Amino acid sequence: MQPSISRKAPLRAPQRRKSSGDALSGLWAICLTAFIVAVLYVGKDILIPMALAALLTFLLAPAVTRLERWLGRIGAVILVMLMIVGGTIAAGWTLGRQAVDLANQMPSYKDNIQVKMQSLQVPKDGPWSRLSGVIDDLKKDAPGGANKEAADAKLASNAKDAKGGKEAIPVEVVQTPDTTPFQIAKSLAAPVLGPLGTTGLVLLLLVFMLLKREDLRGRLVRLIGQGRISSTTKVMDDAGERIRRYLLMQLVVNVTYGIPLAIGLYFIGVPNALLWGVVAAVLRFIPYIGPWIAAFFPITLSLAVSPSWSTPFLTIGLFVVIELISNNLLEPWLYGSSTGVSSIALIIAAVFWTWMWGSVGLVLATPITVCLVVMGRHIPQLAFLSILLSEEEALTPAEDCYHRMLRHAEHDETELVDSFLKSKSPTELYDTVLIPVVLAAERDHRQGMLDSEQKDRVLHSLSEVVDDLAERYALSAMETQPDEAEIPEPPGYPLHVQILPARAERDVLAGSMLAQALSQKGFVSRNASGRKITSEMIASLESDPHDLVCISVVDPSNAIQARTLVTKIRRAVPDQRIIVGFWGRSDDLEEVAKSLYEAGAEEIFRSIADLVSFCERLSLQYNEKTKPAPIPEDEDERQSTLEHLGLLNEEREPTLDHITAKLAKVFDVPTVAITLLDRDRQFFKANTGLPAEMDEERETPRDLSVCGHVVAADGLLVVPDLKRDRRFAGNPLLNKHGLRFYAGVPIHAVNGQPIGALCLMDTSPRRFTKQEARLLLANAEEIGEEIERLAGATIPD
């Protein structure tokens, strides 16, 4: 799957010009927003009950739907409403009793309150008393203060005495309150009738919304969807599911908050603990200020009921501990991404809806904001709502990286890369961040939105990021002890990959990313410089063949340049496997692929991740193929020589065993063996340190033997790492016993025929010097002479 460059649109450099149409659209949006705000504010008396009823309908609809199967629609709605009203009355009665009990006990706490107030009195001669006196003096001298009023009164008195007149006496008219029974009843019922009327309206709307919910849903789909039934249905389902999940999780959090709080307050000794636990659970539905209000009453009451300070401090500590557990453990675990709204958006929404609709708006702020975010996510015309309010990142990592690199004198893209690599792999970084930035810079340069200097600065910054990543991996490998190093190993044979740029430095940059990705998987990769001409790159392939050649292509480098390079490589090295990477291309490559296949390319890839996966599969295929050593042309003569010697028997030769033990110490290897190569088997005539199973059987199939290659070549064979050599990477015998190093030389009979080999083996890769090679050859000659002596047979020339 081709990795997406952007969730919304291709990366672009900031444009400097704005059309008049955009300005008019912006003005229209501002006017429309102002009109909507005015309607919401003016019509809040009816909109608040409707919003509450709609929210309750969202929550209760699933339950009503289940009950309809047995009770029918009307019966299910009646049952749900009875449960709501009954539960509300029962809870109100219980809490009312608790409140009355608390009111009856309050007079008995008067003495404790007086003791607390006396203990809080400030000493008369203390710094706070002196500061308070200074402030009082300043207040008296300020305009409207006591001193100013006294001065004004004195001036007025002097003026009166000078005139000899009398001052007018002010008269205050006091209206006698109406004490009729009707007026008293009205004053008492007014604070209650308002909330009761709103509650009744909410319940009435809820009944009709539950009864007609399918009809209302269909009308909303018709009104909002404008024929887009599928997208509108998805919006409504998504919004309903998010709101239900949020409120359910909020209920779980609040209950797990209220129960421990009530238990804790009970053991601390705060009266009516059950009341405060329920109040706290309910008030926490009000964002931000609800927990503070819930904590205020129990803490204040704890100050009144206890003559000491221990009860208030324990109460405060209880609230702090439960809040910490709830905010840092329960809420992140239960909520997760239940709303999809950013925290700053929730705060702004809470302020806005509280200003519009008061405390009810604060309760409804989160559900309304969730609906707006879902609409913005699914309706293109309202995408700005999702951008402003959702918890998704405003910019994709690729857009953010490109934005950082375009800023002058702020090279903070390394910080973004480090943050990205904490949760993603380097390959994902290359595919979804760095290569899209290269494409965006080249595209904007062609369209005139970036000048050459800006483009070069972006590519230079990318090159520095890639080089920095390479240095990090190199330093980490150097700092790690050799015996503790976690050297990456491929799943099978370690492919050798040569990466060639199609044309420009951008292709070289993408090739560097690919080389790093392959190296991290244990493959051997080299990235050719863009300064090399095509003939030099092809000449290097002829002299140093590779398992794969990858041509790196980044737009605007095109398929014609890639095809030309493929054709030249195929002409110079006919057997070379060639693949092409069109990095970040999202368009249809069918025609391009056809022309490249005709030129000789084997595979075409759009992402580094896909190419690395291909190399891993190819590595396993190579690993499954173990090529036996070729048969020498004079094999019959060689076999005849071996038969005349008569050494292919089970008898051990102490002399030869002694030689292998000595050589193991000289070369500092765990295993040394003297082998004789028969037609179908490799026979161990003597050995030291051979695995127990092989030592007991004393022979292995010839087509699995490394010594067979020594005999076929009739010369020295050194394999520093058997797992990294295509001939032996898939050898089951070597892999089973963990053998990694091999060095062998042929053992010759008196007539010059190679009858076997003297070999050294190790379970770890190692190097073999020229001096060690000469020493091994000399010992092989001595062993050949010793074998002639042990055989005592005359071998025909």
Side-chain angles (χ1 to χ4, degrees):
M1 178 68 68
Q2 165 63 15
S4 174
I5 295 175
S6 171
R7 291 192 301 266
K8 308 170 189 65
L11 278 67
R12 301 286 186 190
Q15 300 189 28
R16 301 173 183 174
R17 292 180 295 177
K18 182 181 287 187
S19 65
S20 59
D22 293 338
L24 290 175
S25 299
L27 181 60
W28 169 250
I30 293 174
C31 294
L32 181 61
T33 302
F35 174 74
I36 293 174
V37 171
V39 170
L40 290 174
Y41 185 77
V42 173
K44 61 182 178 181
D45 291 338
I46 186 61
L47 291 177
I48 288 176
M50 291 179 64
L52 289 172
L55 177 61
L56 291 174
T57 303
F58 261 127
L59 298 176
L60 298 175
V64 173
T65 301
R66 294 189 185 94
L67 291 174
E68 283 181 3
R69 302 173 185 175
W70 296 278
L71 303 176
R73 173 162 298 187
I74 297 177
V77 171
I78 292 175
L79 178 61
V80 169
M81 295 304 300
L82 288 176
M83 292 175 63
I84 292 175
V85 174
T88 303
I89 293 174
W93 181 77
T94 303
L95 297 179
R97 288 190 59 187
Q98 294 278 320
V100 171
D101 181 59
L102 176 63
N104 293 331
Q105 295 178 7
M106 287 301 295
S108 62
Y109 304 143
K110 179 180 177 181
D111 295 338
N112 293 334
I113 296 174
Q114 291 176 345
V115 171
K116 296 287 192 313
M117 294 178 65
Q118 291 174 359
S119 64
L120 292 175
Q121 289 181 357
V122 180
K124 294 182 179 180
D125 297 331
W128 294 109
S129 296
R130 291 194 293 271
L131 178 61
S132 178
V134 171
I135 293 174
D136 291 340
D137 293 340
L138 292 175
K139 287 182 178 179
K140 292 177 182 179
D141 294 334
N147 292 340
K148 181 67 175 174
E149 292 178 356
D152 292 342
K154 185 175 181 181
L155 289 174
S157 177
N158 293 335
K160 174 185 174 183
D161 294 340
K163 294 179 179 180
K166 294 183 179 180
E167 184 179 3
I169 301 175
V171 178
E172 180 180 0
V173 178
V174 179
Q175 184 177 2
T176 304
D178 189 359
T179 57
T180 61
F182 177 77
Q183 187 63 32
I184 295 174
K186 179 179 177 182
S187 62
L188 293 176
V192 180
L193 290 178
L196 285 178
T198 302
T199 303
L201 182 58
V202 169
L203 294 177
L204 181 63
L205 290 172
L206 176 60
V207 170
F208 283 99
M209 285 184 178
L210 288 175
L211 289 173
K212 297 291 185 179
R213 63 184 184 280
E214 297 297 338
D215 180 64
L216 291 173
R217 184 184 182 93
R219 293 180 184 277
L220 284 175
V221 171
R222 180 68 178 273
L223 177 64
I224 300 175
Q226 297 295 324
R228 298 185 297 270
I229 296 178
S230 61
S231 60
T232 308
T233 303
K234 187 183 297 183
V235 169
M236 297 178 67
D237 290 342
D238 191 8
E241 178 62 26
R242 286 178 179 271
I243 293 173
R244 276 193 292 268
R245 186 166 61 245
Y246 165 73
L247 292 177
L248 177 61
M249 293 301 102
Q250 182 74 57
L251 177 62
V252 172
V253 170
N254 291 0
V255 169
T256 55
Y257 180 94
I259 292 176
L261 179 64
I263 296 174
L265 292 176
Y266 173 79
F267 284 105
I268 290 174
V270 178
N272 307 99
L274 176 61
L275 172 65
W276 306 125
V278 175
V279 169
V282 173
L283 288 177
R284 278 183 63 87
F285 278 102
I286 303 176
Y288 308 113
I289 65 171
W292 294 95
I293 299 174
F296 173 77
F297 295 106
I299 293 173
T300 303
L301 184 60
S302 66
L303 290 169
V305 300
S306 174
S308 65
W309 289 96
S310 60
T311 299
F313 283 127
L314 287 175
T315 304
I316 295 173
L318 176 64
F319 273 97
V320 170
V321 170
I322 295 179
E323 279 289 341
L324 290 175
I325 295 175
S326 178
N327 293 338
N328 297 293
L329 294 179
L330 290 178
E331 290 185 5
W333 174 50
L334 291 174
Y335 284 158
S337 57
S338 59
T339 62
V341 182
S342 67
S343 56
I344 185 67
L346 285 176
I347 294 174
I348 295 174
V351 173
F352 173 78
W353 290 108
T354 303
W355 170 68
M356 292 288 294
W357 290 353
S359 58
V360 177
L362 184 59
V363 175
L364 294 174
T366 298
I368 294 175
T369 309
V370 169
C371 292
L372 294 176
V373 169
V374 172
M375 292 171 64
R377 184 177 289 118
H378 295 283
I379 301 175
Q381 293 81 357
L382 301 178
F384 70 93
L385 292 174
S386 179
I387 296 173
L388 292 174
L389 303 176
S390 72
E391 63 182 355
E392 295 179 356
E393 295 292 338
L395 298 176
T396 65
E399 292 169 338
D400 194 7
C401 185
Y402 187 37
H403 167 65
R404 292 172 185 240
M405 289 182 176
L406 287 173
R407 292 187 299 193
H408 291 281
E410 293 188 36
H411 302 288
D412 55 352
E413 56 271 2
T414 304
E415 178 184 349
L416 182 144
V417 170
D418 293 338
S419 175
F420 187 90
L421 290 176
K422 290 179 180 179
S423 58
K424 304 292 179 61
S425 68
T427 303
E428 290 180 272
L429 173 70
Y430 304 142
D431 277 333
T432 62
V433 180
L434 301 187
I435 287 180
V437 171
V438 177
L439 292 169
E442 293 288 350
R443 185 189 307 113
D444 291 339
H445 176 62
R446 293 197 307 274
Q447 297 177 358
M449 290 185 283
L450 280 185
D451 56 32
S452 298
E453 182 181 355
Q454 289 175 310
K455 186 199 77 170
D456 292 340
R457 184 170 66 247
V458 171
L459 295 183
H460 179 69
S461 299
L462 282 171
S463 180
E464 288 182 341
V465 170
V466 175
D467 292 342
D468 179 63
L469 292 175
E471 290 177 4
R472 291 187 199 180
Y473 297 132
L475 288 175
S476 63
M478 292 174 60
E479 293 173 356
T480 308
Q481 297 297 328
D483 55 343
E484 299 176 357
E486 297 182 0
I487 301 175
E489 293 189 0
Y493 166 68
L495 296 173
H496 291 64
V497 183
Q498 176 66 60
I499 305 167
L500 303 179
R503 178 185 178 187
E505 283 299 320
R506 57 180 172 269
D507 306 317
V508 178
L509 183 58
S512 300
M513 301 178 200
L514 174 61
Q516 286 190 22
L518 291 172
S519 299
Q520 291 160 18
K521 294 294 184 179
F523 299 119
V524 182
S525 59
R526 290 193 304 180
N527 185 38
S529 171
R531 300 183 181 90
K532 283 188 175 182
I533 61 177
T534 304
S535 59
E536 291 178 343
M537 292 188 292
I538 294 177
S540 66
L541 291 177
E542 292 177 318
S543 60
D544 185 15
H546 289 70
D547 299 304
L548 274 178
V549 170
C550 175
I551 299 175
S552 175
V553 185
V554 178
D555 197 39
S557 299
N558 53 46
I560 297 176
Q561 295 150 353
R563 177 188 171 89
T564 301
L565 189 53
V566 170
T567 303
K568 291 181 178 180
I569 295 173
R570 179 64 65 212
R571 187 182 301 121
V573 190
D575 296 332
Q576 180 64 64
R577 304 187 69 169
I578 306 172
I579 57 179
V580 182
F582 281 95
W583 312 124
R585 288 284 292 269
S586 57
D587 55 337
D588 188 7
L589 293 177
E590 184 176 354
E591 293 298 327
V592 173
K594 183 178 179 181
S595 65
L596 288 172
Y597 291 150
E598 291 174 353
E602 182 177 334
E603 294 286 347
I604 296 175
F605 300 94
R606 299 173 186 262
S607 69
I608 291 177
D610 291 342
L611 192 147
V612 171
S613 298
F614 170 79
C615 290
E616 290 176 333
R617 294 193 300 270
L618 188 62
S619 170
L620 292 173
Q621 292 175 9
Y622 279 153
N623 199 39
E624 294 172 356
K625 300 176 181 178
T626 301
K627 295 184 178 180
I631 303 298
E633 295 181 359
D634 55 351
E635 177 66 11
D636 292 337
E637 184 179 351
R638 195 189 70 81
Q639 288 294 332
S640 176
T641 301
L642 191 58
E643 291 172 3
H644 278 86
L645 290 174
L647 294 177
L648 296 173
N649 52 55
E650 299 294 332
E651 296 181 7
R652 287 188 173 273
E653 297 293 343
T655 304
L656 297 180
D657 287 336
H658 176 73
I659 293 174
T660 58
K662 181 183 70 172
L663 292 177
K665 295 179 180 179
V666 171
F667 289 96
D668 191 23
V669 292
T671 304
V672 178
I674 297 172
T675 64
L676 302 175
L677 209 64
D678 200 358
R679 290 187 183 275
D680 301 317
R681 61 174 179 161
Q682 171 183 252
F683 184 75
F684 294 100
K685 189 61 182 175
N687 75 85
T688 295
L690 205 63
E693 181 181 344
M694 297 173 66
D695 183 49
E696 183 179 352
E697 295 180 358
R698 297 193 67 188
E699 64 179 46
T700 60
R702 178 174 175 175
D703 57 356
L704 295 180
S705 70
V706 185
C707 294
H709 292 266
V710 175
V711 171
D714 196 13
L716 172 69
L717 174 64
V718 178
V719 185
D721 191 347
L722 291 164
K723 199 169 184 180
R724 293 182 178 271
D725 192 300
R726 189 191 297 185
R727 295 169 296 179
F728 312 114
N731 192 307
L733 193 64
L734 300 177
N735 293 334
K736 178 180 179 180
H737 299 289
L739 298 176
R740 296 292 295 273
F741 168 78
Y742 178 92
V745 292
I747 298 174
H748 294 98
V750 68
N751 62 354
Q753 287 292 337
I755 58 174
L758 168 65
C759 62
L760 313 176
M761 290 175 282
D762 200 343
T763 54
S764 300
R766 58 181 291 175
R767 295 182 177 180
F768 203 64
T769 65
K770 293 182 179 180
Q771 182 180 358
E772 289 175 321
R774 289 194 295 269
L775 182 59
L776 188 63
L777 285 167
N779 279 276
E781 292 179 2
E782 294 179 4
I783 291 173
E785 295 173 358
E786 182 64 24
I787 286 177
E788 291 287 344
R789 187 187 66 79
L790 292 173
T794 302
I795 302 174
D797 296 335

